[in-house]
Amino acid sequence: MNRMGGLLCALVLVAGCGGNPYLDASLKPAELEGKDKVWFEKNWGAPSAKSPRFFGGETWTYFRIAGGQSGPLLFNFAPNQCQITLKFGKDEKLSSYSYSGC
């Protein structure tokens, strides 16, 4: 019976170690530099929010779940909500980005 419990715990740990593609992509600015709005909509989907920038361009905001913390015995899982902000220039290409809560 102890072997089954150990195996079950190992499977749960391995299953919970998957990556978050949105967070992984947001942490690689060199790969995203120069990408346009069309690329982000195609690869990340529609943003959660859009707003115009004062001197032209647009700001997009994405909210994603990026891991989390669980209480004792895997109960009370509290996900970390990651906010990714992308700023596009007048040419509709990414000019800067930021993220928080990841």
Side-chain angles (χ1 to χ4, degrees):
M1 189 69 173
N2 284 337
R3 285 186 191 177
M4 292 298 282
L7 183 60
L8 179 63
C9 285
L11 286 174
V12 168
L13 287 174
V14 170
C17 292
N20 183 326
Y22 303 105
L23 179 59
D24 293 343
S26 71
L27 298 176
K28 298 177 183 175
E31 291 180 11
L32 299 178
E33 192 172 319
K35 299 289 185 192
D36 60 5
K37 293 178 184 180
V38 174
W39 186 90
F40 282 98
E41 281 217 82
K42 179 182 174 191
N43 292 286
W44 288 20
S48 303
K50 294 181 181 182
S51 63
R53 295 177 70 188
F54 186 73
F55 290 111
E58 206 168 29
T59 300
W60 288 10
T61 304
Y62 288 91
F63 293 99
R64 300 289 191 248
I65 302 299
Q69 300 172 354
S70 60
L73 300 175
L74 302 175
F75 292 107
N76 299 326
F77 181 76
N80 294 332
Q81 187 173 30
C82 181
Q83 178 180 338
I84 303 167
T85 303
L86 306 176
K87 295 183 179 182
F88 296 96
K90 291 179 185 179
D91 60 355
E92 297 192 352
K93 292 189 178 189
L94 183 66
S95 61
S96 68
Y97 77 99
S98 64
Y99 56 90
S100 64
C102 301

